[in-house]
């Protein structure tokens, strides 16, 4: 390094002390050679092209070496009874003693045949000598006879030995050819042998993972084979499993069932050896996926009906990141629904088969983390059910904005996250309980009566459970106590609603014991979960049985697996022996949802959507409008709204022009402009009310 020299000038009477810095003129010492060479070596070793070259050399060398091992093993198996012994031990390890006896018989027959061949070899030299002697003698005799015939024909005695001489010349030519080829053959032969061994090794990819090409090392397009599955299981880190595989004569192949194509992946059943529990494999899902050169979300482990068996479903690399097709609700505008016998097209399972859910008399719960597709999944089911004109909806969206298309389709629509919205939602659910009780009472008088479906939907239900507000009597609207109004109303519907076609559907996020009480979540017949944070949340959402059987919504990737949910329900077809199924749901956009809702509205008529729950007596909006009009021929819409509010603050206090117009439009008494202002005509309202009452009387008489 270059150093600087500091000169200190002594002060004089006239000037203060001055410091000056003078550069050191000496040159900087050179960097030692060993430092430069070390840096060069480090750079060369870490350079990507160097790494690629090292991997290529190691890969091809190991292909040749391990190819020789494979050929040697095959040769040994062909010459000895090793193959039979391996299959015998594998059958014994699997407990299949009938198959073991069969392999033992085959081994015995192989040994007997080998013994006969060896005994025949003791007599073969003499037999060979005799055969060679007889063959040579007959050949020489034939050649001499041919020469005699030629001599007699040509009249030349020397033609007797011409065939024999030609044969000797031919043999001499062959010897000369061998002498010429022998030298190069000795040089080229080993290379050809090494090439053959390399070919065998490359086909088997007989090299460490780090030495393989990048596309294979990353698992791109690598097929799932029995050897790959067995190796993945062997390297899971379960000592009992590894030891059992090593002791099996077939190296574990007998554990595997057939590998079958299942949708965008493959499926295989694995029978575990004695001493290995299925949950030990389940807890190693990430390691198993990496051993199979897959991501964790691309491997699913379930427990089928067979004992001591796990079912592996392994996706093709990247297949689960591809979107599925659009919903049939969007593509088929003629599609209708049947609540009792039909199934809602919800999406696809992992095998690529259509996943359809029966909604008949089943309470529903969908939960997951925020922004994972919960509302879209719940709304897709409701849109299908809306295509059955007999289904009535009462709906509360405690976030607001996702269910606007239900305006004019649901009889009640509450939208908003405030405590007042929770109060209205609670009263809506309590109104559903009253309707349920009325139906139950009616059934007692007429056991054969059948009621139209009534579906009560509460999206973002955790807002209701966590509401701290209390009513005038001190009872909380939220919570999970016996005095909690929302909680108790939901419990009553869960207990008795399905018998009279009254259903409760709820969507919640980030479940806990506080925002999703145990009795509520266990009251749902269909339970579905999108991506969750922990296994404890998965157990809350789906139940212990489903999680113990392999359901793992907590392993779904938040943000990447949006719309993918795990379903536990008797309403969906689940493979035999499993307790849940993973479904990739169809996404229906807001615009498509509005179009489907419009089709559902066209199937109905006269539906008035209330945006506030009437407290106290039930009111008839159309009759009340006629009443507040009085004797006036026409009244401005704003004045009508004020009169209605004065008539019943609970029922009409929050009405707007939109609410008034909706009721009048549905009744056929639309407001119109007069002198530039919107007005309501008394004659139109009176005529609409008379027509409605007349239709009601006719229906009752029929």
């Amino acid at each position: 390094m270059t150093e600087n020299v500091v000169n200190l000038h002594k002060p004089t009477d006239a000037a203060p002390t001055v410091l000056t810095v003078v550069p050191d003129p000496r040159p900087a010492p050179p960097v030692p050679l060993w430092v430069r060479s070390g840096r060069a070596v480090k750079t060369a070793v870490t350079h990507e092209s160097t790494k690629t070259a090292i991997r290529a050399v190691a890969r091809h060398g190991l292909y040749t070496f391990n190819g020789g091992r494979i050929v040697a093993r095959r040769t040994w198996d062909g010459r000895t009874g090793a193959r039979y012994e391996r299959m015998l031990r594998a059958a014994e390890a699997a407990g299949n003693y009938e198959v073991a006896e069969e392999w033992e018989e085959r081994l015995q027959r192989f040994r007997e045949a080998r013994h006969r061949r060896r005994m025949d070899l003791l007599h073969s030299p003499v037999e060979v000598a005799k055969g060679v002697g007889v063959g040579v003698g007959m050949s020489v005799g034939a050649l001499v006879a041919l020469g005699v015939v030629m001599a007699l024909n040509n009249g030349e005695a020397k033609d007797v030995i011409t065939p024999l001489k030609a044969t000797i010349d031919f043999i001499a030519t062959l010897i000369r050819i061998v002498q010429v080829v022998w030298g190069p053959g000795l040089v080229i032969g080993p290379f050809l042998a090494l090439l053959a061994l390399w070919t065998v090794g490359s086909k088997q990819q007989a090299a460490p993972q780090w030495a393989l090409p990048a596309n294979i090392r990353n698992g791109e397009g690598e097929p799932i084979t029995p050897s790959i599955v067995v190796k993945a299981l062997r390297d899971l880190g379960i000592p009992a499993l590894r030891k059992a595989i090593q002791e099996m004569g077939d190296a574990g192949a007998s554990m595997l069932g057939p590998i079958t194509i299942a949708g965008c992946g493959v499926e295989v059943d694995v029978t575990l050896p004695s001493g290995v529990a299925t949950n030990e494999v389940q807890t190693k899902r990430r390691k198993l996926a990496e051993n199979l050169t897959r991501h964790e979300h691309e491997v699913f482990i379930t427990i089928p009906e067979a004992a001591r068996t796990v079912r592996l479903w392994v996706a093709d690399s990247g297949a689960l990141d591809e979107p599925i097709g659009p919903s049939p609700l969007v593509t088929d505008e003629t599609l209708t629904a049947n609540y009792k016998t039909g199934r809602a097209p919800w999406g696809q399972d992992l095998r690529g088969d259509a996943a359809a859910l029966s909604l008949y008399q089943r309470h529903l719960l969908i939960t997951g983390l925020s922004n994972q597709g919960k509302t879209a999944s719940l709304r897709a089911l409701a849109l299908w059910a809306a295509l059955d004109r007999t289904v009535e909806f009462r709906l509360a969206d405690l976030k607001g904005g996702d269910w606007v298309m239900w305006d004019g389709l649901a009889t009640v629509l509450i939208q908003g996250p405030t405590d007042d919205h929770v109060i209205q939602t609670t009263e809506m659910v309590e109104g559903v309980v009253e309707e349920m009780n009325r139906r139950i009472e009616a059934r007692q008088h007429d056991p054969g009566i059948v009621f139209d479906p009534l579906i009560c939907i509460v999206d973002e239900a955790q807002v209701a459970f966590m509401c701290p507000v209390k009513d005038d009597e001190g009872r909380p609207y939220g919570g999970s106590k016996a005095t909690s109004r929302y909680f108790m109303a939901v419990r009553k519907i869960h207990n008795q609603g399905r018998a009279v076609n009254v259903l409760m559907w709820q969507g919640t996020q980030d479940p806990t014991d506080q925002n999703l009480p145990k009795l509520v979540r266990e009251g749902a017949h269909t339970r579905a979960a999108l991506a969750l944070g922990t296994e404890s949340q998965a157990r809350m959402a789906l139940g212990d049985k489903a999680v113990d059987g392999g359901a793992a919504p907590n392993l779904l990737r938040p943000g990447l697996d949006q719309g993918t949910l795990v379903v536990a329900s008797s309403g969906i077809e689940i493979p035999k022996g499993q307790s849940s199924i993973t479904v990739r749901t169809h996404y229906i956009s807001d615009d498509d949802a509005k179009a489907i809702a419009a089709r559902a509205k066209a199937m109905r008529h006269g539906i008035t959507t209330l945006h506030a729950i009437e407290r106290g007596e039930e009111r008839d909006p159309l009759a009340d409008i006629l009443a507040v009009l009085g004797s006036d021929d026409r009244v401005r819409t704003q004045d009508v709204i004020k009169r209605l509010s004065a008539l019943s603050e609970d029922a009409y206090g929050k009405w707007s022009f939109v609410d008034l117009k909706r009721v009048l439009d549905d009744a056929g008494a639309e407001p119109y402009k007069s002198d530039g202002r919107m007005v309501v005509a008394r004659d139109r309202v009176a005529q609409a009310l008379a027509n409605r009452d007349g239709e009601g009387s006719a229906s009752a008489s029929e």
Side-chain angles (χ1 to χ4, degrees):
M1 280 181 69
T2 302
E3 297 180 352
N4 294 328
V5 179
V6 179
N7 293 332
L8 178 62
H9 298 276
K10 292 183 179 181
T12 63
D13 294 338
T17 303
V18 178
L19 293 175
T20 59
V21 179
V22 180
D24 189 352
R26 293 174 297 177
V31 178
L33 180 61
W34 64 270
V35 174
R36 287 181 291 170
S37 61
R39 292 174 182 169
V41 170
K42 181 179 179 181
T43 303
V45 171
T46 57
H47 197 275
E48 186 60 33
S49 59
T50 304
K51 292 181 180 179
T52 303
I54 293 174
R55 279 197 293 264
V57 172
R59 177 170 66 252
H60 295 296
L62 290 171
Y63 278 170
T64 304
F65 175 75
N66 290 326
R69 294 178 57 189
I70 294 172
V71 171
R73 185 184 182 91
R74 291 175 180 175
T75 304
W76 176 259
D77 288 345
R79 302 290 297 176
T80 66
R83 179 184 291 109
Y84 300 95
E85 293 174 356
R86 284 202 306 272
M87 300 304 295
L88 174 60
R89 289 196 298 270
E92 290 177 345
N96 197 339
Y97 296 107
E98 293 181 358
V99 176
E101 291 178 359
E102 181 180 348
W103 281 109
E104 187 175 11
E105 292 177 0
R106 293 184 181 182
L107 176 59
Q108 187 62 31
R109 290 197 297 268
F110 171 80
R111 287 173 174 171
E112 291 176 356
R114 184 179 60 185
H115 177 71
R116 287 195 300 270
R117 289 195 302 270
R118 289 176 176 175
M119 294 303 295
D120 292 340
L121 288 176
L122 297 176
H123 306 285
S124 60
V126 177
E127 299 296 332
V128 170
K130 291 181 179 179
V132 171
V134 172
V136 171
M138 293 181 64
S139 299
V140 172
L143 292 173
V144 172
L146 178 60
V148 170
V149 172
M150 292 176 61
L152 293 175
N153 183 56
N154 297 331
E156 295 287 342
K158 61 180 182 180
D159 287 342
V160 174
I161 62 172
T162 297
L164 188 60
K165 182 180 179 182
T167 302
I168 295 173
D169 292 340
F170 176 72
I171 295 173
T173 302
L174 292 179
I175 293 174
R176 284 194 296 272
I177 293 173
V178 171
Q179 289 174 341
V180 172
V181 175
W182 184 255
L186 290 177
V187 177
I188 299 174
F191 290 101
L192 294 177
L194 291 175
L195 178 61
L197 298 179
W198 177 89
T199 303
V200 173
S202 63
K203 288 183 178 180
Q204 298 293 326
Q205 294 181 1
Q209 189 71 17
W210 61 266
L212 295 176
N215 62 326
I216 299 176
R217 191 167 63 249
N218 296 332
E220 298 177 0
E222 182 179 5
I224 298 299
T225 61
S227 60
I228 289 177
V229 176
V230 172
K231 286 168 60 179
L233 293 169
R234 183 195 64 194
D235 298 337
L236 275 183
I238 303 175
L241 180 59
R242 183 180 185 88
K243 182 178 179 182
I245 291 175
Q246 290 175 343
E247 290 178 351
M248 291 181 182
D250 61 348
S254 60
M255 297 193 308
L256 307 184
I259 297 179
T260 58
I261 296 175
C264 58
V266 296
E267 189 175 72
V268 59
D269 285 355
V270 181
T271 303
L272 300 176
S274 178
V276 181
T278 54
N279 63 339
E280 291 183 82
V281 177
Q282 281 184 297
T283 56
K284 301 278 188 178
R285 177 182 172 184
R286 173 175 294 182
K287 192 169 187 178
L288 177 61
E290 292 173 351
N291 290 348
L292 293 169
T293 63
R294 295 294 191 273
H295 297 291
E296 184 178 10
H297 71 278
E298 294 176 327
V299 174
F300 288 81
I301 306 173
T302 55
I303 310 299
E305 192 173 30
R308 217 173 67 224
T309 302
V310 293
R311 178 168 294 160
L312 307 181
W313 185 86
V314 185
D316 299 335
S317 293
L320 294 184
D321 296 326
E322 298 293 331
I324 64 174
S327 170
L329 296 176
V330 177
T331 58
D332 186 0
E333 295 184 357
T334 63
L335 183 68
T336 58
N338 188 306
Y339 159 78
K340 183 175 181 179
T341 61
R343 290 177 177 264
W346 210 5
Q348 294 179 0
D349 61 17
L350 296 179
R351 295 165 183 80
D353 299 328
L357 180 69
S358 172
L359 307 178
Y360 180 63
Q361 294 188 345
R362 288 180 175 88
H363 302 304
L364 176 68
L365 172 66
I366 299 180
T367 186
L369 298 178
S370 177
N371 196 32
Q372 298 305 309
K374 166 181 55 62
T375 297
S377 301
L378 181 61
R379 193 174 66 183
L381 297 177
L383 285 170
W384 178 83
L387 296 177
D388 183 341
R389 62 186 305 272
T390 65
V391 179
E392 177 188 352
F393 294 94
R394 300 185 187 182
L395 197 153
D397 177 11
L398 293 178
K399 180 175 65 174
D402 292 327
W403 297 81
V404 292
M405 66 287 300
W406 248 255
D407 199 348
L409 183 56
T411 54
V412 177
L413 178 59
I414 300 168
Q415 300 182 88
T418 66
D419 290 340
D420 188 57
H421 291 105
V422 173
I423 293 173
Q424 294 183 30
T425 299
T426 302
E427 293 175 350
M428 178 192 75
V429 178
E430 289 175 340
V432 173
V433 173
E434 293 177 2
E435 171 64 16
M436 177 189 72
N437 292 334
R438 185 193 67 78
R439 293 184 177 192
I440 292 174
E441 185 178 354
R443 174 162 287 183
Q444 291 175 353
H445 296 90
D446 183 4
I449 190 172
V450 177
F451 300 100
D452 288 339
L454 171 58
I455 300 178
C456 179
I457 302 175
V458 179
D459 196 10
E460 307 295 343
Q462 75 279 354
V463 177
F465 284 113
M466 298 300 290
C467 180
V469 178
K470 296 183 179 180
D471 62 11
D472 296 337
E473 299 178 2
R475 293 183 301 167
Y477 286 94
S480 58
K481 297 181 180 180
T483 57
S484 301
R485 291 179 59 177
Y486 179 80
F487 169 75
M488 291 305 299
V490 172
R491 286 291 298 139
K492 290 175 182 178
I493 297 175
H494 279 175
N495 289 338
Q496 296 179 301
R498 63 184 298 271
V500 288
N501 280 336
V502 176
L503 303 181
M504 188 74 203
W505 291 6
Q506 295 183 97
T508 69
Q509 68 177 5
D510 202 10
T512 65
D513 285 327
Q514 289 71 39
N515 64 25
L516 188 60
K518 184 174 186 293
L519 293 178
V520 169
R521 60 184 186 249
E522 290 185 350
H525 303 100
T526 296
R527 300 167 71 173
L530 295 108
L532 291 171
T534 63
E535 182 179 325
S536 62
Q537 287 184 319
R539 293 184 180 276
M540 290 181 191
L542 300 176
D544 291 336
K545 181 180 179 182
V547 175
D548 291 338
N554 53 301
L555 296 181
L556 294 174
R557 302 167 297 167
L560 297 176
D561 291 324
Q562 287 181 325
T564 299
L565 44 75
V566 183
V567 186
S569 173
S570 60
I572 193 169
E573 187 175 349
I574 297 177
K576 191 174 182 181
Q578 296 181 202
S579 54
S580 64
I581 187 171
T582 301
V583 176
R584 303 172 67 198
T585 59
H586 297 294
Y587 174 69
I588 301 177
S589 66
D590 289 345
D591 292 339
D592 290 333
K594 291 176 182 178
I596 298 170
R599 284 156 45 196
K601 293 175 187 177
M603 301 170 64
R604 296 164 169 82
H605 59 84
I607 292 181
T608 300
T609 299
L610 298 180
H611 295 267
I613 300 302
E614 300 175 5
R615 298 175 173 88
E617 60 179 340
E618 291 189 6
R619 309 202 64 87
D620 185 343
L622 191 61
D624 286 346
I625 292 172
L626 181 62
V628 299
L629 290 176
S631 59
D632 297 330
D633 291 334
R634 58 180 181 270
V635 179
R636 290 188 304 171
T637 54
Q638 293 299 325
D639 293 337
V640 173
I641 294 172
K642 291 179 181 178
R643 294 179 186 183
L644 287 171
S645 179
L647 178 65
S648 176
E649 176 67 22
D650 291 338
Y652 307 114
K654 295 186 178 182
W655 265 38
S656 65
F657 172 77
V658 175
D659 300 300
L660 176 63
K661 185 176 185 300
R662 184 183 307 107
V663 173
L664 295 174
D665 288 348
D666 291 339
E670 300 84 356
Y672 62 96
K673 275 191 176 183
S674 176
D675 297 331
R677 295 185 178 184
M678 297 297 294
V679 298
V680 179
R682 186 181 186 282
D683 292 342
R684 291 188 179 186
V685 177
Q687 184 64 40
L689 188 61
N691 293 340
R692 191 192 66 180
D693 293 341
E695 291 177 0
S697 300
S699 300
S701 62
E702 291 177 0

